[in-house]
Amino acid sequence: MDSLKEDLKKQIIEQLNLEDLTVADIADDALLFNDQGLGLDSIDALELIVLLEKYHGIQLVNPEEGKEAFKSVDTMAAYIRKRKAA
């Protein structure tokens, strides 16, 4: 398993207080803001922004980037790698 994706799942569980979930419960491609996925809401989106800065040193300033980056764990990992490579 990709260590960044595994770390992201742990961070999401911790940051959003999703104690009833485990890393194995979150598929890499599961939609974060969809009822078939994690079903997160706009408050959770703010928490994900905090997560990016707290754990990865990335400030999200463009809301459009956030919409793309926060689709799934896959897209979050790709966004982090892209920002760190820049």
Side-chain angles (χ1 to χ4, degrees), residues 26-46:
I26 304 172
D28 291 350
D29 60 352
L31 296 175
L32 299 178
F33 293 91
N34 182 300
D35 290 337
Q36 283 75 42
L38 290 186
L40 302 183
D41 61 23
S42 58
I43 301 299
D44 296 323
L46 295 174

Side-chain angles (χ1 to χ4, degrees), residues 10 13 21 31 38 50 54 58 60 64 71 83:
K10 290 176 186 173
I13 290 167
L21 292 179
L31 296 175
L38 290 186
V50 171
K54 177 179 175 182
I58 295 172
L60 182 71
E64 289 304 311
K71 284 186 176 180
R83 288 289 303 267

Side-chain angles (χ1 to χ4, degrees), residues 1 8 11 13 26 30 39-40 51 53 67 69-71 80 86:
M1 177 183 259
L8 274 172
Q11 294 160 2
I13 290 167
I26 304 172
L40 302 183
L51 179 154
E53 189 164 359
K67 285 181 185 178
F70 295 150
K71 284 186 176 180
I80 291 167

Side-chain angles (χ1 to χ4, degrees), residues 43-86:
I43 301 299
D44 296 323
L46 295 174
E47 290 292 331
L48 292 179
I49 292 170
V50 171
L51 179 154
L52 277 182
E53 189 164 359
K54 177 179 175 182
Y55 292 105
H56 304 282
I58 295 172
Q59 288 188 343
L60 182 71
V61 293
N62 181 342
E64 289 304 311
E65 280 185 7
K67 285 181 185 178
E68 289 301 312
F70 295 150
K71 284 186 176 180
S72 68
V73 171
D74 278 337
T75 59
M76 284 185 72
Y79 180 76
I80 291 167
R81 287 187 176 111
K82 177 180 145 190
R83 288 289 303 267
K84 288 193 172 191

